[in-house]
Amino acid sequence: MGERKFIYESKSLPSWNNPISHAVVANNMCFVSGQLSVGLDGKYIAGTMKEESKRAFRNFFAAVEAAGFSKEDIVFVDIAFCDLNFLHEVNELFISLFPENKRPARTVYEVSALPFGGKIKVMGTAVKAD
Amino acid sequence: MGERKFIYESKSLPSWNNPISHAVVANNMCFVSGQLSVGLDGKYIAGTMKEESKRAFRNFFAAVEAAGFSKEDIVFVDIAFCDLNFLHEVNELFISLFPENKRPARTVYEVSALPFGGKIKVMGTAVKAD
Amino acid sequence: MGERKFIYESKSLPSWNNPISHAVVANNMCFVSGQLSVGLDGKYIAGTMKEESKRAFRNFFAAVEAAGFSKEDIVFVDIAFCDLNFLHEVNELFISLFPENKRPARTVYEVSALPFGGKIKVMGTAVKAD
């Protein structure tokens, strides 16, 4: 029977008051909640787009790892931002985060608002080989 | 061979004119279409955020169940709203809908409009153990 | 062991400068990046909603096929547009693209902007039977 895990906390993940899992593992898949520029105390940290992007990705990777998956297992990343003019910064970060020939699929779009007034939200899916 | 099912209707699901399935089952996964505050007759029912949220979740669960899955199989929920100031109401509802230690992963974001002028759209994924 | 493939290019896919895969295959699933009205040279082609929708779907299907999947394997389609008043056009296209009794699940919503100033973005997931 496949494994089902609900990841609520780890020392590398923000504590938060949201009534949701940071990530859920079902069989060989990991579904990660939308991650923002939030510190380990669960408080939003406002910053430049580059700073918020780095912190949101840091939390996204922390959730993937707390779930027992690795960055290499990430197959899809969904990025919502509040200003698509920053796509260039996000692309630069993406290049530094994922190896050239193994980059995940991705979608980007501009939304009118994110929780806490954040500038970027990162979520995604990881899959282990059967 | 894995099962493939297209869920178009059930007595607990809104009839609608949309040229889409309410849910599709592939192997042990269920992909649910975005659900709004719509009655069984397929017509949008405007209400307070709380009312629309309850009805959208009701339809979401109805689609999951019509597909042969249960609420416990839901691993991920994607919620788009038109006004993030209502996040508190959605969190309260989430607490009442899912057990404390088995809550799905989730993403929330504000969009500029939803079909019918709805206030909230709920979609998500359910997975059965292999 | 499950197959993992990163689809970067094929003769039917736009060449682009984005640091992402067009699609990623993991086991029997295919995750497709958001596709826009972009030509094979990677340049955005502005058009009417109908024209942009057709081209975005064309690219979406090309990514699915380059990944070794077929249109029939598509289980879920996520469509972001910049003006929901065009939902009728998108529904008409959907009817022409998918057979009546095997249509994927779908979500639609209006966003404030898409890359290149595009009018529509199409992404989705395909699954092969186990």
Side-chain angles (χ1 to χ4, degrees):
Chain A
M1 180 176 146
E3 184 181 26
R4 175 81 40 134
K5 284 198 295 185
F6 298 86
I7 310 303
Y8 281 95
E9 53 184 12
S10 87
K11 63 184 180 186
S12 63
L13 274 172
S15 60
W16 63 15
N17 289 320
N18 293 319
I20 61 175
S21 293
H22 267 292
V24 174
V25 176
N27 304 323
N28 59 354
M29 298 186 71
C30 175
F31 299 85
V32 181
S33 285
Q35 300 290 338
L36 299 148
S37 173
V38 165
L40 291 177
D41 60 0
K43 288 189 184 141
Y44 170 60
I45 302 175
T48 61
M49 183 64 178
K50 196 170 169 181
E51 290 163 348
E52 292 207 16
S53 300
K54 283 178 86 165
R55 197 171 289 105
F57 268 103
R58 184 220 156 276
N59 290 335
F60 175 61
F61 292 144
V64 167
E65 282 158 21
F69 285 65
S70 73
K71 221 170 77 165
E72 288 70 36
D73 296 319
I74 296 167
V75 289
F76 187 74
V77 180
D78 179 306
I79 308 179
F81 348 169
C82 285
D83 184 348
L84 263 184
N85 290 317
F86 288 110
L87 181 54
H88 182 69
E89 275 88 337
V90 172
N91 276 340
E92 283 197 345
L93 183 60
F94 223 78
I95 288 169
S96 73
L97 293 174
F98 297 101
E100 187 170 359
N101 58 345
K102 295 187 172 181
R103 291 191 182 124
R106 187 186 75 179
T107 194
V108 296
Y109 51 104
E110 186 182 298
V111 295
S112 52
L114 292 170
F116 305 118
K119 291 187 175 65
I120 182 170
K121 173 176 69 70
V122 177
M123 65 172 195
T125 309
V127 181
K128 284 185 184 171
D130 271 340
Chain B
M1 182 176 146
E3 185 181 26
R4 175 79 41 133
K5 283 198 295 186
F6 298 87
I7 311 304
Y8 281 96
E9 53 186 10
S10 87
K11 62 183 181 189
S12 63
L13 274 171
S15 61
W16 63 15
N17 289 319
N18 293 318
I20 60 175
S21 293
H22 267 292
V24 174
V25 176
N27 304 323
N28 59 354
M29 298 187 71
C30 173
F31 299 85
V32 181
S33 285
Q35 300 290 338
L36 299 147
S37 173
V38 165
L40 291 177
D41 61 0
K43 287 189 184 142
Y44 170 59
I45 302 175
T48 62
M49 184 64 179
K50 196 170 170 180
E51 290 162 349
E52 292 207 15
S53 300
K54 282 178 87 164
R55 196 171 289 104
F57 268 102
R58 185 220 156 275
N59 290 335
F60 175 61
F61 292 144
V64 167
E65 282 158 22
F69 286 65
S70 73
K71 221 169 78 164
E72 289 68 37
D73 296 320
I74 297 167
V75 290
F76 187 74
V77 180
D78 179 305
I79 309 179
F81 345 171
C82 284
D83 185 347
L84 264 183
N85 291 316
F86 289 110
L87 181 54
H88 182 69
E89 274 89 339
V90 173
N91 276 340
E92 282 196 347
L93 183 60
F94 223 78
I95 287 170
S96 73
L97 294 174
F98 297 102
E100 187 170 359
N101 59 344
K102 293 188 172 182
R103 291 190 181 125
R106 188 186 76 180
T107 194
V108 295
Y109 51 104
E110 185 181 299
V111 294
S112 52
L114 292 170
F116 304 117
K119 291 185 175 65
I120 182 169
K121 174 176 68 70
V122 177
M123 64 171 196
T125 308
V127 181
K128 285 186 183 170
D130 271 341
Chain C
M1 181 176 144
E3 185 181 25
R4 173 79 42 131
K5 284 198 294 185
F6 298 86
I7 310 303
Y8 281 96
E9 54 185 11
S10 87
K11 62 184 180 185
S12 63
L13 274 170
S15 61
W16 63 14
N17 290 320
N18 293 319
I20 60 176
S21 293
H22 267 291
V24 174
V25 175
N27 305 322
N28 59 353
M29 298 186 72
C30 175
F31 299 85
V32 181
S33 285
Q35 301 290 339
L36 299 147
S37 171
V38 165
L40 290 178
D41 60 0
K43 288 189 185 143
Y44 170 60
I45 302 175
T48 62
M49 183 64 178
K50 195 170 170 181
E51 290 163 349
E52 292 208 16
S53 300
K54 283 178 85 162
R55 198 172 287 106
F57 268 101
R58 185 221 156 274
N59 290 336
F60 174 61
F61 292 144
V64 166
E65 282 157 23
F69 286 63
S70 73
K71 222 170 75 164
E72 288 69 36
D73 296 320
I74 296 167
V75 289
F76 187 75
V77 180
D78 178 306
I79 308 179
F81 347 171
C82 286
D83 184 347
L84 265 183
N85 291 317
F86 289 110
L87 182 53
H88 182 69
E89 275 89 337
V90 173
N91 276 341
E92 283 197 346
L93 183 59
F94 223 78
I95 287 170
S96 73
L97 294 174
F98 296 102
E100 187 169 0
N101 58 344
K102 294 188 173 182
R103 290 190 182 125
R106 188 185 76 177
T107 194
V108 295
Y109 50 104
E110 186 182 298
V111 295
S112 52
L114 292 170
F116 303 118
K119 291 185 176 66
I120 182 169
K121 174 176 68 71
V122 177
M123 64 171 196
T125 308
V127 181
K128 284 186 184 169
D130 272 340

